[in-house]
Amino acid sequence: GLDAHMDEAFVYRMFEDYKNVIENVKVIRNKETGDIAGYGFVEFCSRDIAERVLTTLNSKPVPSNPGKYYRLNWAQTGGGSGVGPSFSIFVGDLAPDVTDYMLEQCFRQRYTTVSGARVVIDPATNISKGYGFIKFTDQMERDRAVQEMTGVYLSNRAMRVSVAVAKNGTGGSGDPAVQASTSGLLVTNIDLTLTESEVRSEFEEYGEITSLAMPVGKGVATVVYATR
């Protein structure tokens, strides 16, 4: 994610080669503290240019910041108060070379309501942890993907697909376990190298977070959303 010093001006410099086609840059900040929340948005003048930037830069090193890599994904857009409902799936057993873009395209060519994909990366090594998440805007397509995509090969491995929010454990795979209760989530098996900001960034895309509690060294967090 974005570090504390990576404001809008820094993000503009990250995309220096494309500055003439950037329409807007917005870095998201914590509403209470004003601190950078670890992510932001870059708006380009056309979707074709945005797609070219994503495929060219995603997972590549950031020249101006050694040790940092571009982590790019499509953002949902929409007017009014925000986006509509989102339905997510978990995808496991991903090959090490699978990127956000590869994962999204694999599903998007079969399901038109795919709105984004993310491969989870170990922040210490910048290597894929072997799993990720895909968001849909239609629940029926999400459910169909769970049934149809398990066992389908991406790169050189067959994927394991399930609904993202599970009621119990991880089956020994090392994937985070999530339990839902009212508008809160109990997340366990969290990598101890992750910071609270990084965990918030992972879950903020699913809705407005009103509180996040993450005891140091416990590998668990409680995430509470404004709505379920």
Side-chain angles (χ1 to χ4, degrees):
L2 297 177
D3 293 337
H5 67 283
M6 296 179 176
D7 57 8
E8 281 83 357
F10 185 95
V11 175
Y12 265 114
R13 292 194 297 272
M14 289 174 62
F15 294 89
E16 179 72 20
D17 292 343
Y18 302 92
K19 61 183 180 182
N20 293 330
V21 291
I22 292 177
E23 292 194 345
N24 186 49
V25 172
K26 181 177 182 181
V27 173
I28 305 303
R29 290 172 169 80
N30 184 292
K31 293 180 180 179
E32 297 178 359
T33 66
D35 295 335
I36 290 174
Y39 67 101
F41 300 91
V42 180
E43 184 178 353
F44 294 90
C45 62
S46 74
R47 181 181 175 88
D48 288 344
I49 291 173
E51 185 165 359
R52 186 163 70 248
V53 172
L54 190 150
T55 56
T56 301
L57 296 182
N58 199 24
S59 301
K60 301 292 178 58
V62 178
S64 58
N65 206 62
K68 277 288 183 180
Y69 296 80
Y70 289 96
R71 298 285 298 143
L72 308 177
N73 200 355
W74 289 109
Q76 290 195 31
T77 59
S81 60
V83 300
S86 178
F87 307 94
S88 300
I89 63 175
F90 167 87
V91 185
D93 294 342
L94 294 176
D97 63 323
V98 172
T99 64
D100 294 347
Y101 181 74
M102 290 171 62
L103 183 61
E104 179 173 345
Q105 290 302 110
C106 177
F107 281 77
R108 186 182 289 278
Q109 64 185 2
R110 296 172 173 85
Y111 309 102
T112 59
T113 65
V114 169
S115 61
R118 172 178 292 185
V119 175
V120 178
I121 301 295
D122 186 331
T125 64
N126 201 53
I127 296 174
S128 168
K129 290 188 174 184
Y131 65 91
F133 300 92
I134 298 176
K135 292 196 297 183
F136 294 77
T137 57
D138 180 83
Q139 186 174 6
M140 291 183 64
E141 275 212 334
R142 187 278 307 270
D143 294 344
R144 189 158 59 86
V146 171
Q147 298 297 319
E148 296 174 350
M149 294 301 286
T150 291
V152 173
Y153 274 76
L154 177 58
S155 185
N156 59 356
R157 289 187 186 176
M159 295 180 290
R160 174 168 52 91
V161 181
S162 63
V163 174
V165 178
K167 292 183 178 179
N168 47 36
T170 64
S173 67
D175 306 327
V178 182
Q179 298 183 36
S181 176
T182 63
S183 59
L185 298 177
L186 173 64
V187 187
T188 63
N189 201 29
I190 296 174
D191 190 323
L192 296 180
T193 64
L194 292 177
T195 65
E196 183 175 319
S197 175
E198 289 170 327
V199 173
R200 178 181 288 272
S201 178
E202 289 289 336
F203 286 89
E204 206 156 25
E205 63 178 290
Y206 300 107
E208 180 184 353
I209 294 176
T210 57
S211 68
L212 189 151
M214 187 170 131
V216 176
K218 299 296 184 181
V220 300
T222 301
V223 183
V224 179
Y225 292 94
T227 57
R228 178 164 182 144

